[in-house]
Amino acid sequence: MWVELGHFCLVLACVLSLFSGGVGLLGGMRQISSLLAPVRMASLLMTGLLCVSFVALTQAFLQDDFSVRYVAAHSNALLPVFYKVAAVWGGHEGSLLLWVVLLGLWIAAVTLLAQELPNRIQVLVLAILALVTLGFLLFILLTSNPFERLNPIPELGTDLNPLLQDIGLVAHPPFLYLGYVGFSVAFAFAIAALITGQLDAAWAKFSRPWTIAAWVFLSIGIALGSAWAYYELGWGGWWFWDPVENASFMPWIAGTALIHSLAVAEKRGIFKHWTVLLAIVTFSLSLLGTFLVRSGVLTSVHAFATDPSRGTFILVFLALVVGSALSLYAWRAPTLGSRVQFTWLSREAALLVNNVLLITACAAVFIGTLFPLLMDTLGGGKFSVGAPYYNVLLTPLWLMLLFFLGVAPHLHWRKNHWNRFSRVTCACWGVSVVLGNLMPLVFGTWRWGVALALTIAWSAILVAVVDVVQRLRSTRNGQSLWQTLQSQPRAFLGMHLAHIGLAVFAIGATIVTAYEYEHDAVIMPKQTLTLGDYQVYFQHLEGHTGPNYEALIGHFRIADDNGRVLAVLKPEKRQYFSGGEPMTEASIERRFFGDIYIALGEMQGSDRATSGWLIRLYSKPLMGWIWFGCLLMAVGGWLALNDKRYRQRKARA
């Protein structure tokens, strides 16, 4: 019953998306205002049907309905209920359904919250989003139906991939997809503006909050995925430059450039070419990520599909969307010019350089990700592009980007006086030089590259703090500090908080990359080893039976050179009842100045009582600063999103 209902709702949603897209385009092109109401109603009904379909698939997992091929392949009767829900999007078909459901929720949000838009823009935006939904629904129904039946019916099911049986599966994909899909709204606004020719400050103001919201969700999703890989995979790393990781990083970079370009378009009415093109590129990169993950062209722990034939559909859809958008842009580009002038010592110039650096970084990641695939397709052999390539190309770009973060906040629009600008900025840079050169000495040997990176990062933090303090002083007017802070535009505070978050992230990434170390050793129970700065005492092994696995838990006491206990860590070695390779669950002691990380390896012998165990111990200085920086960036984006000018509604009679 539930399975048939879910499939039927998908078919109806496909029909409604076709209706909404076709009628909406007709109403927008011919300016027929009366068609807005049926398009809005169809959009809301389509979202409702998609949600019902998703609930139906979830119900099939909860009821262990192994007559559904997708449920049998990604669930098990012994799987905890918590993971049965997460398993709904643990595979290819379910993840696509989650994708299209979240797209429907974005459409519903635009329908309900964007009523201040002109009617023509509203109907065009909804029509474009409906057509994008139509493409994904056709892909699901024709090639990736999650409701396909299976015969004969297995008794227990195959089980969810053990790597995915973690809280990370619950949070990471939904946030990541909310970001991916959210950029479709910015794309729809850009296409609607190109069709109508209304590329003005009002358009940038309408589009900006939706873009910021998508960027916030994508930032959270990437951070959650990085944290998940850090503690789950047992390698001690937080970013591997995996092609599928890059697929999420590229739209984040382009989306960051889009937000800054929209700010200039709203304030000064310039950078229209940049803004429209970035909106198209950002969503195109989101679709490219979908192609890479679900086409089968990549082998990765992140990749879902293994059937390259499915990639043909996505590739055609990607070419159709991107080709149509770029063709429309080429047609309208001559009308996007502006005559606003500015000097090179201005905020406009700094934001222009910011965009150039971000797009260059995005292009470097794009080439590094697709070059091996291109060479393999052309018969040029197997190529691997790893961390050295990205470090060499991206490190100078990120340092220059941070440098401008340490300069731009003190710049005004159009032009500036050099004396005032240099006096304030040079004071911040003087303090940054001291901090940047002293900080490496705390963690190890002084290195000029580390000192340079830290100096630039601290300059971005200090310049942002000074700019906020100066504004609070100039606008206080007898109020308390809290009242003055509340009266500031949230977009202003959010901008600086996001910049501080990026700098904090850069400090953490620099220190952990330069001063982390690892030790491998074989240790027996009741034995103590000296590994680096730590004394590791293996207390004992403990057996444990989980809901669908058996585990061995090692108890380790970590002390410093003076014998002071720093942590008691309990890494695990799990064997799931459904079979497969044993899984490692690392144990981490998280501290402000760094993490102590231990993973339990294989037993070195045949007798558990007399054999040693392979362990890997990591020291990760300032590792937590990476996650804290990501949190600050997300909170800063959320503050900017809640600025009062984005919450105004059209006055009603």
Side-chain angles (χ1 to χ4, degrees):
M1 171 63 182
W2 279 102
V3 175
E4 285 70 24
L5 176 63
H7 185 262
F8 183 64
C9 287
L10 278 183
V11 175
L12 285 182
C14 187
V15 174
L16 284 174
S17 65
L18 177 61
F19 169 82
S20 183
V23 173
L25 278 182
L26 177 65
M29 298 291 288
R30 298 190 177 183
Q31 303 187 41
I32 307 174
S33 300
S34 59
L35 293 180
L36 176 61
V39 169
R40 285 167 52 86
M41 183 62 67
S43 299
L44 293 174
L45 184 57
M46 178 184 66
T47 301
L49 290 170
L50 291 173
C51 291
V52 171
S53 181
F54 187 79
V55 170
L57 185 60
T58 305
Q59 187 69 15
F61 272 88
L62 293 176
Q63 294 178 346
D64 293 329
D65 187 356
F66 299 131
S67 67
V68 179
R69 183 183 300 275
Y70 178 69
V71 177
H74 297 90
S75 186
N76 186 281
L78 300 177
L79 192 67
V81 174
F82 189 70
Y83 293 135
K84 285 183 180 179
V85 175
V88 175
W89 54 83
H92 170 72
E93 292 84 354
S95 67
L96 275 175
L97 182 59
L98 175 65
W99 176 290
V100 78
V101 168
L102 294 177
L103 179 55
L105 293 177
W106 276 105
I107 294 174
V110 173
T111 304
L112 298 174
L113 301 179
Q115 298 182 34
E116 72 275 15
L117 289 172
N119 290 344
R120 189 183 182 192
I121 296 294
Q122 279 191 65
V123 73
L124 282 174
V125 168
L126 293 176
I128 294 163
L129 291 173
L131 292 177
V132 173
T133 307
L134 175 63
F136 278 100
L137 284 174
L138 288 175
F139 179 49
I140 291 174
L141 291 171
L142 297 178
T143 70
S144 308
N145 185 4
F147 299 103
E148 183 181 351
R149 291 289 190 177
L150 177 64
N151 192 24
I153 302 174
E155 293 183 5
L156 295 177
T158 304
D159 202 4
L160 180 65
N161 186 339
L163 276 175
L164 303 181
Q165 294 186 35
D166 187 85
I167 186 65
L169 179 64
V170 179
H172 166 57
F175 276 104
L176 191 71
Y177 293 173
L178 278 170
Y180 271 149
V181 176
F183 285 124
S184 65
V185 180
F187 172 80
F189 271 96
I191 299 302
L194 285 174
I195 292 174
T196 60
Q198 297 178 0
L199 288 155
D200 50 16
W203 157 72
K205 177 185 174 182
F206 290 138
S207 181
R208 193 176 174 190
W210 299 98
T211 307
I212 294 174
W215 182 87
V216 169
F217 284 125
L218 185 59
S219 300
I220 296 173
I222 293 175
L224 289 174
S226 178
W228 183 12
Y230 172 62
Y231 70 78
E232 176 65 22
L233 296 181
W235 302 340
W238 52 276
W239 192 263
F240 304 98
W241 294 111
D242 183 281
V244 181
E245 289 177 336
N246 295 347
S248 64
F249 189 41
M250 287 187 288
W252 185 89
I253 299 174
T256 304
L258 175 59
I259 291 173
H260 291 84
S261 190
L262 282 168
V264 183
E266 181 183 352
K267 293 285 186 180
R268 302 284 290 138
I270 56 177
F271 292 4
K272 295 178 182 178
H273 286 91
W274 271 103
T275 307
V276 174
L277 191 57
L278 282 172
I280 296 172
V281 168
T282 303
F283 182 59
S284 300
L285 290 173
S286 296
L287 293 179
L288 177 65
T290 307
F291 168 73
L292 292 176
V293 177
R294 291 165 182 83
S295 62
V297 300
L298 292 178
T299 301
S300 166
V301 296
H302 305 84
F304 285 111
T306 57
D307 180 10
S309 63
R310 291 173 172 172
T312 304
F313 188 103
I314 302 180
L315 190 60
V316 172
F317 179 57
L318 175 64
L320 182 63
V321 172
V322 177
S324 301
L326 292 179
S327 299
L328 181 60
Y329 171 78
W331 176 46
R332 287 290 195 178
T335 66
L336 303 182
S338 59
R339 299 181 179 179
V340 179
Q341 297 182 348
F342 57 89
T343 65
W344 284 106
L345 189 62
S346 64
R347 183 167 292 189
E348 292 95 329
L351 289 171
L352 177 61
V353 174
N354 164 84
N355 278 1
V356 172
L357 292 174
L358 286 171
I359 294 304
T360 304
C362 187
V365 177
F366 180 86
I367 293 172
T369 303
L370 294 188
F371 177 76
L373 301 179
L374 178 62
M375 294 302 296
D376 189 24
T377 303
L378 297 178
K382 298 289 185 181
F383 285 82
S384 177
V385 177
Y389 164 83
Y390 295 103
N391 292 338
V392 169
L393 289 183
L394 296 184
T395 299
L397 294 174
W398 289 119
L399 289 178
M400 287 188 284
L401 182 65
L402 285 171
F403 171 81
F404 279 96
L405 285 184
V407 172
H410 288 164
L411 293 173
H412 297 296
W413 299 106
R414 295 188 62 187
K415 62 180 181 179
N416 292 263
H417 298 290
W418 176 256
N419 291 334
R420 176 194 174 279
F421 164 73
S422 61
R423 184 171 60 252
V424 178
T425 305
C426 288
C428 295
W429 275 86
V431 178
S432 302
V433 170
V434 175
L435 292 174
N437 282 273
L438 290 179
M439 199 170 181
L441 299 177
V442 177
F443 297 96
T445 307
W446 185 91
R447 303 178 187 177
W448 73 267
V450 175
L452 174 63
L454 295 180
T455 297
I456 296 175
W458 277 113
S459 73
I461 295 175
L462 293 177
V463 166
V465 171
V466 168
D467 196 38
V468 172
V469 170
Q470 287 181 332
R471 180 149 184 166
L472 292 177
R473 285 179 177 177
S474 64
T475 59
R476 190 162 187 176
N477 297 327
Q479 296 177 319
S480 67
L481 179 60
W482 177 247
Q483 289 174 328
T484 307
L485 189 63
Q486 285 185 313
S487 66
Q488 302 304 315
R490 293 187 181 182
F492 169 78
L493 297 175
M495 172 192 71
H496 282 305
L497 190 60
H499 290 175
I500 292 173
L502 181 60
V504 169
F505 170 87
I507 292 173
T510 301
I511 292 295
V512 75
T513 302
Y515 297 109
E516 68 177 344
Y517 62 85
E518 67 179 75
H519 289 280
D520 294 336
V522 176
I523 187 171
M524 296 180 62
K526 307 301 182 183
Q527 184 182 6
T528 301
L529 291 180
T530 299
L531 300 178
D533 298 330
Y534 303 109
Q535 301 288 326
V536 180
Y537 174 59
F538 190 178
Q539 294 175 315
H540 63 277
L541 277 171
E542 175 190 2
H544 172 72
T545 301
N548 61 337
Y549 65 88
E550 290 183 342
L552 284 175
I553 303 176
H555 291 249
F556 294 85
R557 188 178 65 208
I558 313 297
D560 59 15
D561 292 335
N562 299 321
R564 183 170 60 94
V565 177
L566 302 176
V568 175
L569 301 179
K570 301 177 182 179
E572 296 183 32
K573 202 73 175 177
R574 293 183 179 180
Q575 180 65 58
Y576 285 82
F577 297 148
S578 58
E581 295 293 327
M583 298 299 301
T584 298
E585 295 289 328
S587 182
I588 306 172
E589 175 69 14
R590 303 180 188 273
R591 295 170 173 263
F592 180 78
F593 288 107
D595 292 356
I596 305 172
Y597 181 120
I598 192 169
L600 183 64
E602 301 297 330
M603 183 174 64
Q604 305 299 297
S606 58
D607 186 0
R608 186 182 301 177
T610 60
S611 298
W613 288 79
L614 180 64
I615 63 169
R616 178 168 293 175
L617 180 74
Y618 296 91
S619 176
K620 300 278 186 177
L622 294 192
M623 188 67 204
W625 287 42
I626 292 177
W627 320 127
F628 184 59
C630 294
L631 177 63
L632 290 179
M633 284 190 279
V635 173
W638 189 257
L639 272 178
L641 179 63
N642 284 274
D643 193 89
K644 63 181 181 180
R645 70 179 185 271
Y646 299 138
R647 290 181 278 119
Q648 294 174 348
R649 291 288 177 264
K650 184 168 55 178
R652 300 188 181 187

